[in-house]
Amino acid sequence: MSNNPTPIANPDPVSSEDHHIGSSSQPSPPPALPPPPPPPTSTDQHVTNPSSSKPRGRPLGSKNKTKSTPPPVPLPTEPSVELLVVTVEPNRDIMECILDIAHQDHVSLSIISAIGMINSVTLRNSTHGAPSLVLHGPFKLLSLTGSYLYKNEYTLHLGATPPRPLSFGINLSAGNGEIFTGVVGGRVVAGEGVSLTVSTFKNPHILKYAAESGEGDENNSDDD
Protein backbone atom coordinates (compact mmCIF):
# COMPACT_ATOMS: atom_id res chain seq x y z
CA MET A 1 0.00 0.00 0.00
CA SER A 2 1.32 3.32 -1.01
CA ASN A 3 1.49 6.21 1.54
CA ASN A 4 1.07 9.02 -1.02
CA PRO A 5 -2.21 10.79 -0.51
CA THR A 6 -4.60 10.82 -3.33
CA PRO A 7 -5.17 14.35 -4.67
CA ILE A 8 -8.67 15.66 -4.09
CA ALA A 9 -10.24 17.30 -7.09
CA ASN A 10 -11.90 20.75 -6.68
CA PRO A 11 -15.53 20.02 -6.50
CA ASP A 12 -16.55 23.47 -7.79
CA PRO A 13 -13.97 24.83 -10.25
CA VAL A 14 -16.30 27.54 -11.54
CA SER A 15 -16.92 28.95 -8.11
CA SER A 16 -13.21 29.03 -7.46
CA GLU A 17 -12.62 30.93 -10.65
CA ASP A 18 -15.37 33.35 -9.90
CA HIS A 19 -13.94 33.92 -6.47
CA HIS A 20 -10.55 34.61 -7.99
CA ILE A 21 -11.91 37.04 -10.51
CA GLY A 22 -14.11 38.75 -7.95
CA SER A 23 -11.26 39.21 -5.54
CA SER A 24 -8.97 40.69 -8.18
CA SER A 25 -11.47 43.08 -10.00
CA GLN A 26 -12.21 46.74 -8.87
CA PRO A 27 -15.70 47.79 -7.66
CA SER A 28 -17.96 49.38 -10.34
CA PRO A 29 -18.38 53.22 -10.14
CA PRO A 30 -21.74 54.68 -8.98
CA PRO A 31 -24.18 55.79 -11.66
CA ALA A 32 -23.70 59.37 -12.95
CA LEU A 33 -26.10 62.10 -11.71
CA PRO A 34 -28.28 63.88 -14.26
CA PRO A 35 -26.89 67.22 -15.49
CA PRO A 36 -28.09 70.32 -13.56
CA PRO A 37 -30.93 72.35 -15.20
CA PRO A 38 -29.84 75.31 -17.34
CA PRO A 39 -29.90 78.76 -15.68
CA PRO A 40 -33.18 80.68 -16.12
CA THR A 41 -33.38 82.99 -19.06
CA SER A 42 -34.15 86.73 -18.80
CA THR A 43 -37.83 86.08 -19.52
CA ASP A 44 -38.11 83.53 -16.73
CA GLN A 45 -36.26 85.83 -14.38
CA HIS A 46 -38.72 88.68 -15.09
CA VAL A 47 -41.62 86.42 -14.28
CA THR A 48 -40.17 84.62 -11.24
CA ASN A 49 -38.45 87.65 -9.67
CA PRO A 50 -41.04 90.40 -9.13
CA SER A 51 -38.56 92.64 -7.29
CA SER A 52 -36.45 93.14 -10.41
CA SER A 53 -39.16 95.15 -12.26
CA LYS A 54 -42.35 97.13 -11.56
CA PRO A 55 -45.39 94.85 -11.41
CA ARG A 56 -48.12 95.46 -13.90
CA GLY A 57 -51.76 96.16 -13.11
CA ARG A 58 -53.42 97.70 -10.03
CA PRO A 59 -51.90 96.61 -6.70
CA LEU A 60 -54.03 94.60 -4.36
CA GLY A 61 -56.23 96.81 -2.21
CA SER A 62 -55.48 99.99 -4.19
CA LYS A 63 -59.19 100.66 -4.73
CA ASN A 64 -59.60 101.23 -1.00
CA LYS A 65 -56.90 103.90 -0.81
CA THR A 66 -57.87 107.56 -0.60
CA LYS A 67 -56.85 109.50 -3.68
CA SER A 68 -54.88 112.66 -3.12
CA THR A 69 -57.17 114.90 -5.16
CA PRO A 70 -57.90 118.53 -4.30
CA PRO A 71 -61.16 119.12 -2.46
CA PRO A 72 -64.09 120.16 -4.65
CA VAL A 73 -64.97 123.82 -4.80
CA PRO A 74 -68.08 124.37 -2.68
CA LEU A 75 -71.03 125.65 -4.61
CA PRO A 76 -72.95 128.61 -3.31
CA THR A 77 -75.87 127.60 -1.14
CA GLU A 78 -78.13 130.13 -2.82
CA PRO A 79 -77.95 132.13 -6.03
CA SER A 80 -76.92 135.76 -5.77
CA VAL A 81 -79.82 136.90 -7.98
CA GLU A 82 -83.37 135.58 -8.07
CA LEU A 83 -86.47 136.50 -10.05
CA LEU A 84 -89.85 136.58 -8.36
CA VAL A 85 -93.33 137.02 -9.83
CA VAL A 86 -95.56 138.62 -7.19
CA THR A 87 -99.33 139.01 -7.38
CA VAL A 88 -100.62 141.96 -5.34
CA GLU A 89 -104.09 141.66 -3.87
CA PRO A 90 -106.62 144.41 -4.65
CA ASN A 91 -106.67 147.40 -2.27
CA ARG A 92 -103.21 146.59 -0.96
CA ASP A 93 -100.35 149.08 -1.05
CA ILE A 94 -97.85 147.96 -3.69
CA MET A 95 -94.98 149.79 -1.95
CA GLU A 96 -95.74 147.98 1.30
CA CYS A 97 -95.67 144.66 -0.55
CA ILE A 98 -92.23 145.51 -1.99
CA LEU A 99 -90.83 146.37 1.43
CA ASP A 100 -92.22 143.15 2.92
CA ILE A 101 -90.33 141.07 0.33
CA ALA A 102 -87.05 142.86 1.10
CA HIS A 103 -87.37 142.63 4.89
CA GLN A 104 -88.54 139.03 5.04
CA ASP A 105 -85.78 137.70 2.78
CA HIS A 106 -83.11 140.29 3.81
CA VAL A 107 -82.43 141.22 0.19
CA SER A 108 -82.31 144.29 -2.00
CA LEU A 109 -84.56 144.32 -5.06
CA SER A 110 -85.42 145.97 -8.34
CA ILE A 111 -88.73 146.06 -10.21
CA ILE A 112 -88.36 144.68 -13.71
CA SER A 113 -91.97 144.91 -14.90
CA ALA A 114 -95.44 145.69 -13.51
CA ILE A 115 -98.94 145.35 -14.97
CA GLY A 116 -102.51 145.76 -13.70
CA MET A 117 -104.91 148.46 -12.54
CA ILE A 118 -104.27 151.11 -9.87
CA ASN A 119 -106.99 152.58 -7.66
CA SER A 120 -104.97 155.55 -6.37
CA VAL A 121 -101.38 156.80 -6.26
CA THR A 122 -99.46 159.41 -4.24
CA LEU A 123 -96.85 161.30 -6.24
CA ARG A 124 -94.03 163.44 -4.95
CA ASN A 125 -94.46 167.12 -5.77
CA SER A 126 -91.57 168.59 -7.71
CA THR A 127 -91.88 171.89 -5.87
CA HIS A 128 -89.68 171.95 -2.79
CA GLY A 129 -91.72 171.79 0.39
CA ALA A 130 -95.05 171.30 -1.40
CA PRO A 131 -97.34 168.49 -0.22
CA SER A 132 -97.58 165.24 -2.20
CA LEU A 133 -100.17 164.91 -4.93
CA VAL A 134 -102.81 162.18 -4.59
CA LEU A 135 -104.48 160.91 -7.79
CA HIS A 136 -107.55 158.69 -7.76
CA GLY A 137 -108.22 156.21 -10.52
CA PRO A 138 -108.81 153.77 -11.80
CA PHE A 139 -105.57 153.95 -13.79
CA LYS A 140 -103.84 151.43 -16.00
CA LEU A 141 -100.33 150.72 -14.73
CA LEU A 142 -97.93 151.21 -17.62
CA SER A 143 -94.68 150.84 -15.70
CA LEU A 144 -93.21 150.89 -12.21
CA THR A 145 -89.44 151.18 -12.02
CA GLY A 146 -86.97 151.52 -9.17
CA SER A 147 -84.82 149.70 -6.61
CA TYR A 148 -84.81 149.25 -2.86
CA LEU A 149 -81.52 148.67 -1.02
CA TYR A 150 -82.02 146.64 2.12
CA LYS A 151 -80.54 148.58 5.08
CA ASN A 152 -78.33 150.42 2.56
CA GLU A 153 -76.00 147.40 2.41
CA TYR A 154 -73.93 148.07 -0.69
CA THR A 155 -70.34 148.76 -1.78
CA LEU A 156 -69.99 152.37 -2.91
CA HIS A 157 -67.05 152.86 -5.27
CA LEU A 158 -65.12 156.08 -5.70
CA GLY A 159 -67.13 158.82 -7.40
CA ALA A 160 -70.51 157.10 -7.08
CA THR A 161 -73.47 158.85 -5.44
CA PRO A 162 -75.36 156.99 -2.71
CA PRO A 163 -78.83 156.15 -4.05
CA ARG A 164 -82.07 156.78 -2.23
CA PRO A 165 -83.11 153.78 -0.12
CA LEU A 166 -86.57 153.94 -1.68
CA SER A 167 -87.16 155.68 -5.01
CA PHE A 168 -89.62 154.51 -7.67
CA GLY A 169 -90.99 156.09 -10.80
CA ILE A 170 -94.47 155.29 -12.11
CA ASN A 171 -96.36 155.78 -15.40
CA LEU A 172 -100.17 155.62 -15.46
CA SER A 173 -102.82 155.89 -18.12
CA ALA A 174 -106.31 157.30 -17.42
CA GLY A 175 -109.45 156.19 -19.19
CA ASN A 176 -109.62 159.36 -21.28
CA GLY A 177 -106.11 158.78 -22.64
CA GLU A 178 -104.24 161.07 -20.23
CA ILE A 179 -100.77 159.92 -19.12
CA PHE A 180 -99.47 160.62 -15.62
CA THR A 181 -95.76 160.31 -14.85
CA GLY A 182 -94.02 161.00 -11.57
CA VAL A 183 -92.02 159.79 -8.60
CA VAL A 184 -93.84 157.71 -6.02
CA GLY A 185 -94.23 159.74 -2.83
CA GLY A 186 -96.49 157.47 -0.79
CA ARG A 187 -99.06 154.73 -1.28
CA VAL A 188 -99.81 153.00 -4.58
CA VAL A 189 -103.11 151.16 -4.02
CA ALA A 190 -103.55 148.13 -6.25
CA GLY A 191 -106.69 147.42 -8.24
CA GLU A 192 -107.41 144.29 -10.28
CA GLY A 193 -104.75 142.04 -11.82
CA VAL A 194 -101.57 143.66 -10.46
CA SER A 195 -98.50 141.50 -11.06
CA LEU A 196 -94.86 142.43 -10.42
CA THR A 197 -91.65 140.84 -11.68
CA VAL A 198 -89.00 141.46 -9.04
CA SER A 199 -85.25 140.80 -9.11
CA THR A 200 -83.68 140.25 -5.67
CA PHE A 201 -79.94 140.43 -4.89
CA LYS A 202 -77.48 140.87 -2.02
CA ASN A 203 -74.53 143.22 -1.42
CA PRO A 204 -74.65 145.15 -4.70
CA HIS A 205 -71.67 147.17 -5.98
CA ILE A 206 -72.55 150.73 -7.01
CA LEU A 207 -70.29 152.27 -9.65
CA LYS A 208 -70.20 155.62 -11.36
CA TYR A 209 -70.68 155.38 -15.10
CA ALA A 210 -68.84 157.95 -17.22
CA ALA A 211 -69.67 157.90 -20.91
CA GLU A 212 -66.64 158.29 -23.13
CA SER A 213 -66.83 160.46 -26.26
CA GLY A 214 -66.80 158.40 -29.44
CA GLU A 215 -65.26 159.04 -32.79
CA GLY A 216 -68.57 160.28 -34.12
CA ASP A 217 -68.68 163.08 -31.56
CA GLU A 218 -65.16 164.15 -32.42
CA ASN A 219 -65.98 164.24 -36.12
CA ASN A 220 -69.07 166.33 -35.50
CA SER A 221 -67.07 168.81 -33.42
CA ASP A 222 -64.53 169.16 -36.22
CA ASP A 223 -67.25 169.82 -38.78
CA ASP A 224 -68.73 172.56 -36.62
Side-chain angles (χ1 to χ4, degrees), residues 21-37:
I21 295 174
S23 60
S24 61
S25 62
Q26 298 293 332
S28 60
L33 298 175

Side-chain angles (χ1 to χ4, degrees), residues 137-199:
F139 302 107
K140 182 178 180 181
L141 180 58
L142 301 179
S143 67
L144 178 65
T145 59
S147 300
Y148 173 73
L149 299 178
Y150 177 72
K151 292 185 178 181
N152 282 340
E153 292 180 354
Y154 52 81
T155 300
L156 187 65
H157 289 260
L158 183 63
T161 303
R164 289 176 175 267
L166 184 62
S167 178
F168 288 84
I170 192 169
N171 292 328
L172 303 170
S173 173
N176 56 4
E178 292 181 325
I179 303 297
F180 298 94
T181 300
V183 177
V184 175
R187 289 167 54 88
V188 180
V189 181
E192 297 291 336
V194 176
S195 178
L196 308 176
T197 302
V198 182
S199 174

Side-chain angles (χ1 to χ4, degrees), residues 80-94:
S80 58
V81 178
E82 289 185 354
L83 292 179
L84 304 177
V85 178
V86 182
T87 300
V88 183
E89 298 176 356
N91 299 321
R92 185 180 180 188
D93 184 9
I94 296 178

Side-chain angles (χ1 to χ4, degrees), residues 3-211:
N3 293 329
N4 293 333
T6 303
I8 300 173
N10 189 0
D12 191 5
V14 177
S15 299
S16 175
E17 184 179 359
D18 292 340
H19 176 75
H20 177 75
I21 295 174
S23 60
S24 61
S25 62
Q26 298 293 332
S28 60
L33 298 175
T41 60
S42 59
T43 303
D44 296 336
Q45 185 178 2
H46 176 75
V47 176
T48 57
N49 188 9
S51 61
S52 61
S53 62
K54 184 178 180 180
R56 297 181 180 179
R58 185 185 294 273
L60 183 62
S62 60
K63 293 183 179 180
N64 299 330
K65 294 181 179 179
T66 303
K67 297 181 179 179
S68 58
T69 55
V73 179
L75 298 177
T77 56
E78 58 181 357
S80 58
V81 178
E82 289 185 354
L83 292 179
L84 304 177
V85 178
V86 182
T87 300
V88 183
E89 298 176 356
N91 299 321
R92 185 180 180 188
D93 184 9
I94 296 178
M95 307 312 296
E96 181 184 2
C97 179
I98 292 174
L99 294 178
D100 287 345
I101 296 173
H103 293 166
Q104 290 177 6
D105 298 337
H106 308 286
V107 293
S108 301
L109 57 83
S110 294
I111 304 299
I112 297 178
S113 65
I115 58 173
M117 300 299 296
I118 299 298
N119 290 337
S120 65
V121 59
T122 301
L123 301 180
R124 184 182 303 164
N125 200 319
S126 60
T127 305
H128 180 71
S132 300
L133 178 62
V134 180
L135 301 178
H136 297 279
F139 302 107
K140 182 178 180 181
L141 180 58
L142 301 179
S143 67
L144 178 65
T145 59
S147 300
Y148 173 73
L149 299 178
Y150 177 72
K151 292 185 178 181
N152 282 340
E153 292 180 354
Y154 52 81
T155 300
L156 187 65
H157 289 260
L158 183 63
T161 303
R164 289 176 175 267
L166 184 62
S167 178
F168 288 84
I170 192 169
N171 292 328
L172 303 170
S173 173
N176 56 4
E178 292 181 325
I179 303 297
F180 298 94
T181 300
V183 177
V184 175
R187 289 167 54 88
V188 180
V189 181
E192 297 291 336
V194 176
S195 178
L196 308 176
T197 302
V198 182
S199 174
T200 63
F201 50 89
K202 293 183 178 181
N203 300 324
H205 287 200
I206 300 177
L207 307 175
K208 181 180 179 180
Y209 174 74

